[in-house]
């Protein structure tokens, strides 16, 4: 997984009511950790995962890890 190309428009943190900013996050699944760049809340750390990413590349990686 690499840098997230899609830019959310007018997406903010529901909890903190501030705009999300692009930053590095670590996604973990079944003992594997993936550093990726996604939009997140600079205050509380909430991460925005676009549906296209969740249903695309992330789903492919999950299936590959589960098949091991």
């Amino acid at each position: 997984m690499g840098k997230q190309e899609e830019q959310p428009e007018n997406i903010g943190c529901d909890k903190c009511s501030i705009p999300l900013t692009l930053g590095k996050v670590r996604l973990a699944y079944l003992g594997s950790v993936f550093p990726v760049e996604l939009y997140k809340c600079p205050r509380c750390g909430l991460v925005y995962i676009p549906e296209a990413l969740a249903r695309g590349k992330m789903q492919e990686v999950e299936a590959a890890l589960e098949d091991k």
Side-chain angles (χ1 to χ4, degrees), residues 21-54:
T21 59
L22 196 58
K24 291 204 182 277
V25 299
R26 294 169 31 121
L27 300 178
Y29 189 72
L30 294 178
S32 296
V33 178
F34 306 94
V36 293
E37 199 163 292
L38 291 171
Y39 284 88
K40 65 180 183 177
C41 176
R43 186 176 297 159
C44 73
L46 175 83
V47 176
Y48 171 72
I49 299 176
E51 183 176 349
L53 177 62

